[in-house]
Amino acid sequence: MELLLQQIVFVLDVEGRDSFTTRKVARWNNQCIHEMLRTGSVPLPVIEELQRVAVRVLT
């Protein structure tokens, strides 16, 4: 998952598109995590790992 997110961010940075920035990827990721927490659709340890991956890749 971390490698996939790194590659997505890398491609977005290389393309230089203002429409989908790293900041917007981070916001999208946070929205997804919020929805997973709200619905209880994903076990908490998985969500916690997704949050750790996002911190490593998106900050």
Side-chain angles (χ1 to χ4, degrees):
M1 182 68 184
E2 183 174 354
L3 183 58
L4 173 62
L5 189 56
Q6 287 172 342
Q7 294 301 314
I8 290 170
V9 170
F10 175 76
V11 169
L12 292 172
D13 284 343
V14 169
E15 287 186 358
R17 294 185 183 201
D18 293 331
S19 60
F20 206 65
T21 62
T22 301
R23 185 172 150 203
K24 289 182 181 180
V25 172
R27 189 172 66 218
W28 169 79
N29 185 66
N30 288 336
Q31 288 173 337
C32 291
I33 288 172
H34 174 75
E35 188 66 14
M36 287 183 266
L37 287 167
R38 186 186 71 75
T39 62
S41 60
V42 177
L44 190 55
V46 173
I47 293 172
E48 290 169 345
E49 183 57 29
L50 288 172
Q51 290 172 319
R52 284 189 289 273
V53 166
V55 167
R56 286 192 302 265
V57 174
L58 299 174
T59 56

